Amino acid sequence: MPAKRDTLHLLLLMQTQNHAENIVSMLRNSGNATRAHQVSSLADFVEQLQDRSWDLVIAQQHTDEIHWEELQKQIKRLNKDLPLILVTQEDLNAISFESALKKGAATVVPLEESNVMLMVIERELKHLHIRREKRMLEVKLREAEKRSQSLLESSKDAVGYIHDGMHVYANQAYLELFGYDSVDDLEGMPIMDMVHTSGQKEFKAFLKKYDQAQQSGDLKTKGVDGEGSEFSMTMQFSPATYAEEECTQVVIRGQADSSELEEQLSEIRSRDLLTHLYNKTYFNEQLEHAVDSAVLKGATGAVFYINIDQFNKIKSDIGVNHCDTVVVAVAEALQKYLPENAQLARIGEDIFAFIMMGIDAERALQQAEKLRDIVAQLLIAIEKRTTTVTTSTGVALITENSSKPDDILQQAHQASDLVRKLEGHEQGNGVNLFVPAELNDTEKDESNLEQQLTDALKNNSFRLLFQPLINLRGDETEHYETLLRLPQANGDDISAGEFLNSADISDALKRKIDRWVILHTTKLLGEHREKGHNTRMFINLSSASLSDDSLAGWIGVALNAARLPKGAAIFQFNEEDAGHMLKQCHEFTHALLERGIPTALTRFGCALNPFQQLQHLDVEYVKVDGSFTQELSQSPDNQKHLKELLEKLHEEEKRTIVPLVESAASVANLWQLGVHFIQGHYVQPPQAGMIYDFDDE
């Protein structure tokens, strides 16, 4: 799946509605926001392809009315990039598998193998995302090439492109410099002819060195124009591509008295003032070159991320003023023992980094260990005392699989952080190679998470956040939604969805967490209302609580204990849980309604038949799925779909909520659609208290 986890738009051709709903449920449980449509006929399929953009087709191999091959023919006829995964209830053999692939199916998966199906879906969506991204990049590349060509032609600098020593292009300034009338006069002419005979030997040596290194370089020499007149010039060489051919860009400037000053200024701009090492800007440029070389030419290397351990403690021990002494001492030690081809940079207050090309993982770790040991043995004099420091070094490999320099640096940073989780290195002083996490590594994390949740219940260490909802129809009542967070030792939070939706956390624990949220939220709500606020609160419930027959009565007692009036607390659950537990949800909403307690259905609109479920539930509020908001500005079809959904909800007298509102433009569109409430960061991000000023609406 793409990293952004965009909403998956899925077309299904399944023999039964139950099979289709199981696939949608599987995808949602895996964290994929999914909107699906069950194909009812070939005409319906064609209409869906023409009206909307889809990501994937999952078709059963044998259905009563439509054959999957007909779907594949329509995909091809309409020239859609739409992978089709075939599922079968029959024994899969090599002959039928090969036949399906030849007919256009992406793959064939047994219907009962849900884990395999999920992996295949993830793979096909990843490939689809790559193809789409490639097409977008091709468009951007064409636009960039047009802009570059325009800038090149109007540039006052003399610029030429050389392939195998011959000119393939030169701009007007280049032609004028050497006294030629048109590019045709230069095509096929060796660049050696542009250099005066007195400098051709040096020029040949420079070109040989440049061809070996393939890195930018400058040469000061003498040029000769078409009439034989010589002049001083500086030639700047750099790798480039012109007309889809790899070549060399040559920029020629006349030698001016300011050239030495420009070089000095450039050197100053690339240096860290304290250590005189290279700075982060220079390092990032070198990292870009290294990644480009790996992708385009198959070069390999490694990034080293060196972090001084417990630097804040060092500040406290020796004082802020003496920390610079420590940083400089570490910088000098590292610089002294680094290979010549490694350029050390200081990229943070207590962080150093460098790149080594032509090195494998084992040699990189050996180099990192050598530097770690050198720093650990360093004795740093601070006035009348001596101090020592250690470092944690993360190593990330640069390979042909690398594409984003920022990702490589982030990987090295993560590897450095993980040193402290290695046995015997709790205080740092170690090296670690970044290795992508395996899927099975999450098992230990789930066990640890359940213990964290148990401890949080025991110690009341959960956090509650509150996000306001704004009524677009002028109701003066204040509305908030309470959101649960599990604080982590590193300062981050885990959102409730990450553990309440996990099958690895027991239902009994989930019910206890829900009751903790209800008790603490109603208590805070009661205190807030006593200050004169007419406030209502939306409280989320997990699927485990929906099957708790005693919960409705317990909620009534809890609200009475908090002295809250009827309607002050609104309990909400999501559409997916309602689909799995429709009978339980029907009984639960009815039981709360008898007590005067309203309910809400969230993430609405993604089920195959959302309104069929809704007619069995006594809910007053309906919150549509956030994917509708995210796609609101992408195309008129998306707005039309949301409009139809809202109109039908309003016909059934439901109060509608639209979440994830991020812009004023979205607010204007939603107001025209008659939405009751909006929620999102545009209104206010979740806060630790009920602090939104509703009078400023």
Side-chain angles (χ1 to χ4, degrees):
M1 282 290 290
K4 292 172 63 178
R5 309 301 285 183
D6 293 331
T7 302
L8 165 60
H9 295 273
L10 176 66
L11 284 170
L12 292 163
L13 176 64
M14 307 301 294
Q15 181 67 25
T16 68
Q17 183 83 1
N18 187 48
H19 285 155
E21 289 176 349
N22 286 341
I23 291 175
V24 174
S25 178
M26 173 192 68
L27 287 165
R28 288 182 181 168
N29 290 336
S30 69
N32 295 307
T34 305
R35 294 225 295 272
H37 175 79
Q38 169 79 323
V39 175
S40 59
S41 65
L42 187 60
D44 174 44
F45 181 72
V46 173
E47 182 182 353
Q48 293 297 327
L49 289 186
Q50 292 176 331
D51 287 351
R52 298 178 60 187
S53 177
W54 298 91
D55 302 315
L56 186 67
V57 178
I58 299 179
Q60 202 159 342
Q61 192 168 20
H62 299 293
T63 58
D64 292 340
E65 297 182 1
I66 312 171
H67 198 277
W68 73 269
E69 292 178 37
E70 297 176 11
L71 303 188
Q72 184 61 34
K73 288 178 181 177
Q74 293 303 319
I75 292 171
K76 188 174 181 179
R77 183 177 73 85
L78 296 174
N79 194 27
K80 298 288 185 178
D81 183 4
L82 185 60
L84 186 150
I85 295 175
L86 199 59
V87 296
T88 180
Q89 290 181 291
E90 302 174 356
D91 292 336
L92 188 60
N93 58 65
I95 295 176
S96 61
F97 185 76
E98 180 183 355
S99 175
L101 294 183
K102 285 182 176 179
K103 292 175 181 178
T107 191
V108 186
V109 184
L111 181 61
E112 67 276 6
E113 296 292 342
S114 58
N115 289 336
V116 175
M117 188 186 300
L118 186 60
M119 294 172 67
V120 167
I121 290 171
E122 294 278 356
R123 183 195 67 192
E124 290 304 319
L125 291 174
K126 180 180 179 181
H127 292 172
L128 177 66
H129 174 73
I130 291 172
R131 292 195 300 273
R132 287 175 174 173
E133 191 175 58
K134 177 177 177 289
R135 289 192 290 267
M136 291 177 63
L137 290 174
E138 286 173 347
V139 172
K140 292 179 180 179
L141 176 61
R142 287 194 296 270
E143 293 174 349
E145 287 177 339
K146 290 177 183 177
R147 289 195 298 270
S148 297
Q149 186 67 30
S150 176
L151 291 171
L152 190 61
E153 291 171 356
S154 61
S155 174
K156 294 182 179 179
D157 289 329
V159 183
Y161 287 91
I162 313 300
H163 181 67
D164 290 337
M166 302 292 182
H167 288 88
V168 294
Y169 173 81
N171 69 353
Q172 188 61 36
Y174 192 100
L175 296 174
E176 292 175 357
L177 179 65
F178 289 101
Y180 291 90
D181 295 327
S182 71
V183 177
D184 295 337
D185 297 336
L186 272 180
E187 283 186 0
M189 181 177 292
I191 190 172
M192 185 69 71
D193 292 355
M194 306 294 110
V195 180
H196 193 267
T197 52
S198 61
Q200 289 186 357
K201 183 178 180 180
E202 181 186 7
F203 183 66
K204 288 180 181 178
F206 175 85
L207 281 183
K208 183 177 180 181
K209 184 178 179 182
Y210 170 81
D211 288 338
Q212 292 173 346
Q214 282 295 300
Q215 292 183 347
S216 301
D218 296 355
L219 174 67
K220 294 180 179 179
T221 185
K222 291 186 179 294
V224 57
D225 60 22
E227 297 180 356
S229 302
E230 64 178 84
F231 58 91
S232 298
M233 64 179 180
T234 298
M235 307 178 77
Q236 298 177 338
F237 291 77
S238 58
T241 301
Y242 187 82
E244 300 183 0
E245 291 281 348
E246 288 190 9
C247 59
T248 300
Q249 177 182 273
V250 182
V251 180
I252 299 178
R253 294 187 176 96
Q255 292 184 12
D257 296 336
S258 62
S259 60
E260 186 175 347
L261 177 60
E262 289 177 1
E263 290 179 7
Q264 292 175 353
L265 290 174
S266 176
E267 178 72 9
I268 291 172
R269 284 193 295 268
S270 65
R271 292 288 181 175
D272 174 61
L273 296 179
L274 175 64
T275 61
H276 303 297
L277 300 175
Y278 288 106
N279 57 24
K280 187 175 183 178
T281 301
Y282 180 85
F283 174 82
N284 287 338
E285 292 174 355
Q286 297 306 305
L287 182 56
E288 287 181 5
H289 294 323
V291 171
D292 290 349
S293 180
V295 173
L296 298 175
K297 300 175 182 177
T300 59
V303 172
F304 297 74
Y305 185 101
I306 304 171
N307 192 359
I308 300 176
D309 294 322
Q310 304 180 70
F311 195 65
N312 286 332
K313 185 176 182 298
I314 294 172
K315 283 183 180 179
S316 300
D317 291 345
I318 67 175
V320 175
N321 292 335
H322 294 301
C323 283
D324 287 352
T325 304
V326 172
V327 171
V328 170
V330 173
E332 290 175 348
L334 293 172
Q335 182 80 326
K336 181 178 180 181
Y337 292 98
L338 268 182
E340 292 182 2
N341 63 339
Q343 296 176 321
L344 185 65
R346 183 188 180 209
I347 63 172
E349 182 184 24
D350 56 343
I351 301 167
F352 303 91
F354 66 93
I355 303 164
M356 287 186 67
M357 299 303 291
I359 191 172
D360 58 23
E362 292 304 318
R363 288 173 55 206
L365 288 173
Q366 291 172 8
Q367 179 67 53
E369 181 61 33
K370 175 184 175 182
L371 294 175
R372 180 210 60 77
D373 185 58
I374 288 169
V375 175
Q377 296 184 34
L378 194 62
L379 299 177
I380 304 172
I382 306 292
E383 292 186 340
K384 296 181 180 180
R385 58 180 290 192
T386 301
T387 190
T388 59
V389 296
T390 60
T391 56
S392 294
T393 301
V395 179
L397 299 179
I398 301 173
T399 68
E400 73 281 355
N401 197 38
S402 307
S403 60
K404 297 180 180 179
D406 289 346
D407 290 349
I408 304 297
L409 185 59
Q410 181 65 24
Q411 290 170 3
H413 166 68
Q414 290 177 15
S416 174
D417 279 352
L418 289 173
V419 167
R420 296 165 187 80
K421 293 186 178 181
L422 301 176
E423 186 176 352
H425 294 277
E426 291 76 8
Q427 303 302 317
N429 194 27
V431 302
N432 186 37
L433 176 69
F434 175 82
V435 179
E438 296 290 340
L439 295 177
N440 292 335
D441 291 346
T442 59
E443 294 179 3
K444 187 182 295 185
D445 294 338
E446 294 292 356
S447 175
N448 180 50
L449 178 58
E450 180 142 8
Q451 186 59 50
Q452 286 187 59
L453 294 171
T454 303
D455 293 342
L457 275 176
K458 180 180 178 181
N459 302 321
N460 285 329
S461 57
F462 283 115
R463 278 207 318 146
L464 289 176
L465 302 179
F466 303 92
Q467 187 171 35
L469 291 81
I470 300 302
N471 193 316
L472 297 183
R473 299 195 178 189
D475 187 352
E476 294 183 359
T477 306
E478 300 176 0
H479 290 80
Y480 286 95
E481 179 181 0
T482 183
L483 303 167
L484 180 66
R485 298 290 185 265
L486 176 64
Q488 299 294 287
N490 62 3
D492 295 335
D493 286 340
I494 298 178
S495 66
E498 294 182 51
F499 49 84
L500 291 179
N501 294 330
S502 171
D504 297 294
I505 307 301
S506 68
D507 282 353
L509 181 55
K510 292 176 183 177
R511 292 188 187 106
K512 290 179 181 179
I513 293 172
D514 279 347
R515 294 198 178 202
W516 185 96
V517 172
I518 294 169
L519 281 176
H520 286 76
T521 300
T522 53
K523 178 184 176 183
L524 292 171
L525 178 59
E527 294 172 354
H528 189 68
R529 288 179 64 91
E530 286 177 359
K531 297 176 183 178
H533 297 279
N534 183 16
T535 305
R536 293 178 181 173
M537 185 69 66
F538 288 87
I539 302 174
N540 292 284
L541 295 174
S542 68
S543 59
S545 290
L546 296 174
S547 60
D548 183 353
D549 295 335
S550 65
L551 182 61
W554 184 89
I555 286 175
V557 173
L559 296 181
N560 288 333
R563 298 178 181 179
L564 292 174
K566 294 179 179 179
I570 305 153
F571 292 88
Q572 59 185 26
F573 51 92
N574 66 55
E575 179 185 72
E576 184 180 355
D577 290 339
H580 291 308
M581 311 168 66
L582 191 56
K583 184 175 183 294
Q584 294 93 326
C585 290
H586 168 73
E587 294 172 352
F588 176 71
T589 56
H590 184 69
L592 287 185
L593 185 62
E594 288 181 333
R595 293 171 170 83
I597 302 170
T599 53
L601 184 64
T602 66
R603 295 173 60 184
F604 180 79
C606 292
L608 290 173
N609 294 298
F611 286 95
Q612 183 178 344
Q613 295 177 6
L614 187 61
Q615 66 183 0
H616 296 287
L617 302 172
D618 295 318
V619 296
E620 182 179 338
Y621 300 84
V622 175
K623 180 188 290 187
V624 301
D625 190 74
S627 61
F628 288 99
T629 320
Q630 293 172 323
E631 298 173 357
L632 191 59
S633 61
Q634 294 179 8
S635 75
D637 288 337
N638 293 329
Q639 185 167 334
K640 177 185 175 183
H641 190 61
L642 178 59
K643 181 181 179 182
E644 292 171 353
L645 192 72
L646 291 169
E647 285 176 348
K648 196 165 183 179
L649 287 170
H650 294 152
E651 287 174 5
E652 300 196 11
E653 298 183 347
K654 304 299 181 184
R655 307 188 77 187
T656 53
I657 305 168
V658 175
L660 302 183
V661 176
E662 307 292 339
S663 67
S666 297
V667 175
N669 288 331
L670 295 172
W671 181 79
Q672 292 176 357
L673 297 177
V675 172
H676 290 90
F677 296 92
I678 60 170
Q679 179 184 10
H681 280 57
Y682 176 76
V683 178
Q684 187 184 67
Q687 303 291 324
M690 291 171 262
I691 59 173
Y692 184 76
D693 187 355
F694 287 86
D695 293 332
D696 284 347
E697 293 177 37

